[in-house]
Amino acid sequence: MSPKVSVVVPVCNVEQYLPECIESIINQTLKEIEIILVDDGSKDTSGKICDDYAQKDSRIKVIHKKNAGLGAAYNSGLRAAKGEYIGLVESDDYILPEMYEKEYKVAKELNLDVLKADFIKFYGSKDSRTTEYTNITLPQFYNKVLNVYDDLSIFKRSHNVIWTGLYKNSFLKENKILFNETPGASYQDNGFYFQTYALAQRMYFMSEGFYMVRRDNPNSSIKSKAKVFCMCDEYAFIYNFLKERNLLEKLKGIFHVMAYSNYINTYNRIADEFKMSFLERFQTEMQQAEEKKELNKTLFSKKEWKEIQTLLKDIKKFHQHKQKDTAKNTSCKIKNFIQKIKQFITKGNSKELTPSQQQKYYKKLSPSVYPQELKKWYQKNTGIELNLESPKTFNEKLQWLKIYNATPLKTKLADKYLVRDWVKEKIGEEYLTPLIGVYDRFEDINIKELPERFALKCNHGASWNIIVKDKKDFNSKEAQKKFKKWLKTNFAFHAGLEMQYKNIPPKILVEEYLDIPNNPIEYKMFCFNGKFEFCLLELDFFGSNPQRAFYDRNWQECPFKIGKMPKKSLDKKPKNFDKMVELAEILCQGFAFVRVDFYDVNGKIYFGEMTFTSGSGLSYFEPQEYNLKLGEMITLPEPSPIP
């Protein structure tokens, strides 16, 4: 009987890390696996380590070959693999015990071509290790079957790592997907990821992390200063693949977006003496793309497009601008590096918690230790010590409000079901999305009785919703699994102790479908001490080119931005803007800070939600001084008991 999963591990001179890697695969809770160790001409004891483990475990197969590079090693393993699905593991990394059992179950049930999951970066040895949880993609792409041709931004808005999930073996073989066979470890993961994205009919991003990726191996390819043109060779491989498969016309725009991003990373990485020669090739390739009309301005950010125009005309000027950017960011990088070292020293043996472990951990804690835990969480995510005793900045004050002002009224208004009564009383029922039903369990919903289009959402968190545009395409079993998981999760412990969510009784809301037009706008009205101050307008937030605009009550553009999304200026004030300001100021009375969200659907205003901890208090400001300026606008109330 064929194994459920074949795990392919390329091995080359990694004797220091290899045992931990192999043991983590051997100890998987999914036992029906084969482990293919490809010894790519190691000169240390790595080959012997592989053979020794193979003698102890019959599931291990060792392939010894002459050194030919990472791509060739992976291809040897792929050709030998007999499993239904294939996992890829780098030999200096390791994986958590439940990884392949959980991933295989999802991949099998949903008949996926490609599954990817979150991952955890780590630094240090077993005895003293610090970790950093990393999301593989954006919230809107998680836990649903995807096809990149429905939204090409998936390419740009997900990590192109190849080793966090599973690939259906038949999908790889039928499409003849293999790695680019170039010397050494030369970013061959780019070609493999691009092929799988371009050809997969059923992709899935899983919102759990199992893969532990090492970030302190001095021999890692990402640390090589001399590999100047290997990224160019990899993208030449991808370009030829697109031509051969007749995909160039569909994907040429996003191809150049990804190439540009990776070329910039290469430019920043390589030694100074190679930068100008690299820029010459970079310029030539971009000029060729421009001549062929393959560059799509709408897919690049405003800053990227401006940089491209400079690059096309004058590489010396481009180089000068980039050097200035580097100098500007140096102090920030040094500060972050020092902070990581401090965390490494102080964190000791503690391990990164998975989302499910995090829920259990926080539920057991006494509220008396919440301030201490919140400080730890904030420093881990920002590198900055949190001043809860005398908060000054916007982000600091939101952290204070999380635990010292999570009042019963806030809990009611954070509840997407109970807030409807508040909205109805304050501004009128006409601003609410019509409600079809409210349920305690997914099993209680009679799908047959629902209209052809509708929306499902949880009342006790954020981004827990499913929009059904056509009921015949609705996967009820998949939705049931999601809601079962969501209903068991306390959102208060999801992202830094947002305590207003703690005591919300979980429910499922079924609402009427809103026919939102193309390029929609979401209006996020920032209110301080009962007064509207400015609006963050989310532009095309479901599309491939999301941007943000910032305007005050007089429709004057704000001199700052929040988040790293491109900032845009609008030609004219939306027709309903003043009315939304009026409504926001009615709903925000009595709160030190609240964000009131609205939608404008074909000229009709709909209430979205009341958000008391925008961005969970981790907002990025540009310029940075506005973190303090907006903080000065919040007058903190008397503290309330911690829920």
Side-chain angles (χ1 to χ4, degrees), residues 87 100 147 174 200 224 248 285 382 437 481 499 520 572 588 618 631:
Y100 288 129
N147 186 306
E174 289 167 7
S224 173
L248 186 60
E285 293 189 15
T382 67
K481 289 177 184 177
M499 299 313 297
K572 59 180 180 180
C588 76
L618 297 178

Side-chain angles (χ1 to χ4, degrees), residues 195-426:
Q195 291 177 85
T196 55
Y197 273 42
L199 296 173
Q201 296 296 311
R202 298 178 67 79
M203 282 184 59
Y204 190 92
F205 293 107
M206 192 172 178
S207 58
E208 289 188 74
F210 315 101
Y211 192 96
M212 307 296 294
V213 55
R214 187 179 300 277
R215 279 294 177 253
D216 58 0
N217 182 353
N219 298 316
S220 172
S221 61
I222 64 171
K223 300 179 187 297
S224 173
K225 293 287 186 180
K227 290 185 176 181
V228 180
F229 297 111
C230 55
M231 187 66 77
C232 305
D233 296 337
E234 193 66 13
Y235 271 85
F237 169 80
I238 297 170
Y239 191 86
N240 290 333
F241 153 76
L242 293 176
K243 287 179 65 177
E244 290 170 1
R245 304 298 178 94
N246 297 317
L247 293 171
L248 186 60
E249 190 60 33
K250 290 182 179 180
L251 297 178
K252 61 187 179 183
I254 199 67
F255 165 84
H256 287 293
V257 170
M258 301 309 299
Y260 183 80
S261 175
N262 281 288
Y263 279 28
I264 290 296
N265 290 338
T266 298
Y267 168 83
N268 292 332
R269 174 185 57 77
I270 59 178
D272 289 342
E273 61 263 34
F274 301 130
K275 288 188 185 294
M276 289 307 294
S277 57
F278 175 77
L279 284 180
E280 289 175 0
R281 179 163 175 176
F282 193 176
Q283 182 190 52
T284 298
E285 293 189 15
M286 295 304 290
Q287 288 173 339
Q288 291 171 347
E290 177 77 355
E291 290 170 4
K292 295 176 185 177
K293 301 187 184 305
E294 292 179 349
L295 300 180
N296 186 340
K297 180 179 179 179
T298 63
L299 296 178
F300 291 93
S301 70
K302 189 174 181 180
K303 179 184 177 183
E304 288 171 338
W305 189 252
K306 186 177 179 180
E307 287 180 348
I308 288 172
Q309 302 313 304
T310 303
L311 175 65
L312 291 171
K313 298 173 185 176
D314 189 342
I315 60 173
K316 289 185 178 179
K317 186 176 180 181
F318 180 90
H319 178 65
Q320 291 171 352
H321 285 174
K322 280 297 176 185
Q323 292 301 300
K324 288 180 181 178
D325 287 345
T326 301
K328 186 177 180 180
N329 293 330
T330 296
S331 61
C332 181
K333 288 181 179 179
I334 292 174
K335 182 177 180 180
N336 289 339
F337 175 76
I338 292 172
Q339 188 58 47
K340 279 188 176 181
I341 295 296
K342 288 181 179 178
Q343 290 176 344
F344 175 77
I345 293 170
T346 59
K347 196 168 183 181
N349 294 330
S350 63
K351 295 182 178 180
E352 183 75 17
L353 299 177
T354 65
S356 59
Q357 291 172 332
Q358 181 174 285
Q359 289 283 319
K360 294 177 183 177
Y361 174 73
Y362 282 120
K363 284 180 181 178
K364 292 179 180 178
L365 294 179
S366 164
S368 64
V369 301
Y370 284 174
Q372 179 184 349
E373 290 295 326
L374 189 59
K375 287 182 178 182
K376 289 180 183 178
W377 176 85
Y378 188 79
Q379 184 162 15
K380 174 183 174 295
N381 283 277
T382 67
I384 301 170
E385 290 187 13
L386 173 61
N387 182 356
L388 273 181
E389 291 68 36
S390 182
K392 304 294 184 188
T393 67
F394 176 82
N395 284 335
E396 284 182 333
K397 288 190 176 181
L398 259 57
Q399 304 305 325
W400 189 96
L401 290 167
K402 281 181 181 181
I403 55 176
Y404 294 125
N405 191 236
T407 62
L409 178 58
K410 279 190 174 181
T411 296
K412 175 183 177 180
L413 302 189
D415 184 328
K416 291 178 172 56
Y417 176 51
L418 295 182
V419 73
R420 296 173 63 88
D421 291 335
W422 170 272
V423 173
K424 180 179 178 180
E425 175 189 343
K426 296 293 183 181

Side-chain angles (χ1 to χ4, degrees), residues 153-170:
S153 72
I154 294 171
F155 275 94
K156 189 175 182 180
R157 300 187 183 281
S158 61
H159 287 278
N160 64 351
V161 296
I162 61 171
W163 18 254
T164 67
L166 291 172
Y167 305 87
K168 185 186 286 186
N169 198 350
S170 60

